[in-house]
Amino acid sequence: MTATIPTAFSAATEGGIPVTFSGCAGFYHPGGGDVAVLMCSAWGYEELCVRASWRRMAAELAAAGFPTLRFDYPGVCDSLGASTEPWRLDDWIDAAKAAAALLLDISQARRIIVLGQGLGAGVAILVAQQLSRVEGLVLLASFSKGRAYVRELSVSATMLADAAGVSIAARADGSLTMLGFELPASFVGDLKKLNFLELESLPAPRVLLVDRVQSQQELANHFNFLGAAVEQVPYTGYEELVSNPTITEHPREVFSGIVDHMLAWSGDRTRPFNSTPRAPQPAKPLAGPSWRETPLHLANGHVFGVFCEPLTPRVESVALFLNCGANPHTGWRRMTVDHARVLAAHGIASLRIDTTGIGDCPAPIDFGERIYTQAQTADVLAAVDWLAGQGRGKVSVIGVCSGAYQAFHAAIRDPRIEQAIIINLVVFARDPARSVSELIKYHSRSNTEYFSRVLDRDGLIKLLKGQAPIRKLLSVVLGRIADSAKYKLMWLIHSLVGKKLLNEPQKRLAELAARGTRISFVTSAGDLGEDELTKYFGKNCVGLRAYDNVTWSRIQNADHNLTTQESVDWLRDHLLARLDDPIKSSFRQAS
């Protein structure tokens, strides 16, 4: 039931071995040399975009002989703690030091290179100062002064919110929010105090700066002044890498060039390495006050997941969280982690997964598209197999956008799925002639939103300057109007002939109703998902009333990804109600 992957490809090896330490989650990538690499990741939306490329780079480093460790900071991704806790920069530095100690202990390496991106570049500089045997420092998209970097993050947060159609308010407490990802005021305050141009000691004898358009020449000059051998290379493809996690482009040449620089630093890699690396111990569960989480590879390593168990189980059903686009299993703005832990606090177990090629689950280079495919559905069903093997026979699948598509199709294929919670479903059936990137770029907004954006001041300026792809957008909108007219004609025929001519989604819902599978459609008000439901089930989705197993709920003032805290809270309450109450609900429209 899993995607076909060549036998020469080892997903578990390529994805790394899960490890836990000091309340943090991470992945160890074994390598045979005596120089290890510690990877300090970016933060927030940038981390979401680069996570899969970060995993690929770690695998490439390991293949070149560098044992490598990548990890999540406290309060971030799979590590313990809420992002809103009053974290300090020292908390992240301490976590990086603990990660370095674990890496050196497992690999038995004698030297270490510290690598960081974005906010992680600052962490890399600070932790390198506190470690011994540091051979080199690699800084990607780095910064010199923390105060200026905070301003840059704030501007990026505003631009991203505008692009997503989300309004943000200034935070009076000094915290920073970017598309729902949060840095508490205590951390921001520490960050503003940083000035790497005032460093008095050398963090590493060799430094590689991988620069964005804004060159870090001042930082390069200061490292030179301190006595480091400094090299600078352009971060080609950076903007494409951090633009959208689903259609991001892996900067293969840049990352391979970094590996080549490290090989040059480390001298002759063919010399024998006398120390014997230790076998990493199986990752111990990370435990919260009422739950514990275990990272694991499923289906021979072709699916990665984190199983969140309540310490006091209360409900027999288990939730299976699916990828939204190419967002990793942690979810948009870490929403999936938060929901999983809330469910566990109420006695409900869950499994959040990455299917092949997404997040922490690798794929062969030529694997092809990762979402809206039958191979991805097969990965979802492999996760259901694993849950069944754990005695969890009643599964509720939960997905947003492409995850909603997979939830629907997995429920059709597997009777062990007793419920599907389908959030902002864009398409019931994907047109194979349309690429995923095109679907995301031109088919992710409703007609109403497209028109309102084109007619507002910024939209008109872009239109007049020729910056908006007006022909393509008109083609998309007119195509939708024609498609909608076709289904309205079908509804008219229904009423005239007195005979119901079922379309494909209606047939599938009838099959699921006969089986007793519960379906919960959820849409953000005005979302494209409402257009899709209306197309098949009529105005206000009146056709859904024919199915006792189906509910439809709306979230007001929410974007497609559920970025606002209010929409996240709404979905949390909805999940608790659906998973805690096995009684079928009647059709309703909630707001």
Side-chain angles (χ1 to χ4, degrees):
M1 282 189 172
T2 57
T4 302
I5 297 179
T7 54
F9 174 79
S10 172
T13 301
E14 294 285 337
I17 301 169
V19 294
T20 55
F21 62 94
S22 304
C24 296
F27 293 87
Y28 173 67
H29 298 255
D34 64 350
V35 179
V37 178
L38 176 67
M39 300 179 73
C40 300
S41 66
W43 166 78
Y45 184 71
E46 185 177 6
E47 193 278 335
L48 190 78
C49 289
V50 305
R51 192 173 183 97
S53 287
W54 213 237
R55 178 250 303 155
R56 288 178 64 176
M57 186 180 186
E60 188 173 350
L61 285 166
F66 296 99
T68 301
L69 182 71
R70 55 190 178 92
F71 68 101
D72 300 329
Y73 305 114
V76 173
C77 297
D78 286 322
S79 291
L80 294 180
S83 59
T84 53
E85 290 181 28
W87 299 107
R88 306 300 299 259
L89 183 56
D90 281 347
D91 294 320
W92 287 21
I93 303 303
D94 290 343
K97 288 164 60 179
L102 176 66
L103 171 61
L104 292 172
D105 178 64
I106 297 174
S107 67
Q108 292 294 288
R110 289 187 283 263
R111 293 168 291 164
I112 191 168
I113 294 172
V114 186
L115 181 154
Q117 171 152 334
L119 185 47
V123 174
I125 295 171
L126 295 170
V127 74
Q129 284 191 304
Q130 300 185 38
L131 296 176
S132 60
R133 298 181 289 165
V134 176
E135 178 165 293
L137 189 61
V138 180
L139 306 176
L140 293 82
S142 58
F143 62 94
S144 300
K145 299 178 180 179
R147 186 171 295 276
Y149 186 61
V150 169
R151 286 198 300 269
E152 180 185 334
L153 290 176
S154 298
V155 171
S156 296
T158 301
M159 294 174 62
L160 287 168
D162 179 67
V166 179
S167 61
I168 59 172
R171 305 296 293 266
D173 63 354
S175 60
L176 176 66
T177 299
M178 180 181 291
L179 291 179
F181 295 97
E182 294 199 31
L183 279 180
S186 52
F187 193 102
V188 174
D190 292 339
L191 189 56
K192 287 180 177 180
K193 296 175 185 177
L194 294 179
N195 187 347
F196 295 125
L197 301 181
E198 296 179 349
L199 288 176
E200 297 181 354
S201 60
L202 190 63
R206 299 180 179 89
V207 177
L208 175 63
L209 285 170
V210 186
D211 288 340
R212 297 171 290 171
V213 176
Q214 304 94 336
S215 173
Q216 291 296 322
Q217 190 60 52
E218 282 188 308
L219 188 60
N221 292 342
H222 189 65
F223 282 136
N224 264 319
F225 172 76
L226 292 175
V230 181
E231 298 171 88
Q232 291 175 269
V233 297
Y235 202 154
T236 307
Y238 173 78
E239 297 299 332
E240 292 78 11
L241 176 63
V242 300
S243 62
N244 186 309
T246 300
I247 56 176
T248 185
E249 297 183 20
H250 178 69
R252 186 180 304 177
E253 290 186 10
V254 174
F255 283 11
S256 294
I258 292 172
V259 176
D260 290 340
H261 273 86
M262 291 186 182
L263 288 170
W265 290 351
S266 303
D268 182 10
R269 304 289 297 166
T270 62
R271 67 183 183 277
F273 178 39
N274 296 324
S275 298
T276 302
R278 306 179 192 275
Q281 296 297 314
K284 295 181 179 179
L286 292 177
S290 56
W291 47 265
R292 60 174 175 265
E293 290 186 340
T294 306
L296 40 85
H297 290 288
L298 315 175
N300 296 320
H302 298 159
V303 175
F304 175 77
V306 176
F307 188 48
C308 185
E309 301 174 88
L311 298 183
T312 307
R314 192 175 57 81
V315 175
E316 184 179 357
S317 297
V318 61
L320 175 58
F321 289 100
L322 310 183
N323 294 114
C324 170
N327 295 342
H329 62 277
T330 51
W332 184 261
R333 56 158 295 168
R334 206 193 185 203
M335 176 171 61
T336 308
V337 175
D338 293 339
H339 283 159
R341 293 174 180 177
V342 168
L343 290 178
H346 287 78
I348 305 168
S350 67
L351 174 67
R352 53 185 186 268
I353 63 170
D354 287 331
T355 55
T356 304
I358 297 177
D360 294 310
C361 186
I365 297 299
D366 59 351
F367 182 71
E369 292 186 333
R370 299 166 291 174
I371 62 177
Y372 289 107
T373 65
Q374 292 185 7
Q376 188 183 31
T377 308
D379 285 346
V380 173
L381 299 183
V384 176
D385 285 341
W386 183 85
L387 288 169
Q390 307 302 305
R392 308 278 182 167
K394 295 183 178 180
V395 179
S396 293
V397 287
I398 302 162
V400 179
C401 192
S402 67
Y405 173 93
Q406 290 299 341
F408 182 68
H409 287 271
I412 291 169
R413 290 180 56 179
D414 198 323
R416 293 173 297 184
I417 295 174
E418 66 170 6
Q419 178 175 211
I421 300 175
I422 299 170
I423 306 151
N424 287 337
L425 174 72
V426 175
V427 291
F428 277 101
R430 179 194 158 195
D431 181 356
R434 184 181 297 157
S435 69
V436 169
S437 60
E438 182 183 1
L439 181 67
I440 292 169
K441 190 172 183 179
Y442 296 112
H443 299 263
S444 59
R445 300 186 188 278
S446 66
N447 291 346
T448 301
E449 189 172 354
Y450 270 133
F451 283 126
S452 65
R453 281 180 169 262
V454 168
L455 294 175
D456 70 14
R457 179 178 179 274
D458 291 339
L460 286 172
I461 291 173
K462 289 180 180 179
L463 186 64
L464 292 172
K465 289 183 176 181
Q467 296 174 345
I470 188 63
R471 289 186 178 180
K472 184 63 180 179
L473 293 177
L474 280 175
S475 173
V476 170
V477 171
L478 291 175
R480 288 180 184 167
I481 292 173
D483 203 28
S484 178
K486 179 180 71 175
Y487 282 95
K488 286 181 179 178
L489 178 61
M490 187 182 73
W491 282 95
L492 178 61
I493 294 173
H494 290 177
S495 61
L496 290 177
V497 302
K499 181 179 180 181
K500 192 168 187 178
L501 306 175
L502 295 179
N503 55 49
E504 188 64 22
Q506 290 172 333
K507 292 177 184 177
R508 294 303 188 184
L509 285 184
E511 293 171 6
L512 292 169
R515 189 194 297 165
T517 305
R518 293 184 293 148
I519 303 294
S520 171
F521 288 111
V522 176
T523 56
S524 299
D527 186 77
L528 179 60
E530 295 194 344
D531 292 350
E532 184 74 355
L533 288 176
T534 299
K535 181 171 71 175
Y536 290 107
F537 299 101
K539 186 177 180 180
N540 293 324
C541 303
V542 64
L544 290 178
R545 296 178 183 273
Y547 308 95
D548 291 337
N549 63 317
V550 176
T551 67
W552 171 42
S553 304
R554 305 180 83 203
I555 313 176
Q556 298 293 345
N557 303 317
D559 65 311
H560 182 72
N561 289 313
L562 308 187
T563 300
T564 65
Q565 186 61 49
E566 292 76 13
S567 59
V568 172
D569 292 344
W570 187 101
L571 182 57
R572 174 204 62 208
D573 294 341
H574 186 74
L575 295 179
L576 286 170
R578 296 291 303 193
L579 291 163
D580 204 18
D581 184 3
I583 301 174
K584 296 180 181 179
S585 302
S586 60
F587 178 87
R588 65 189 176 96
Q589 178 178 330
S591 60

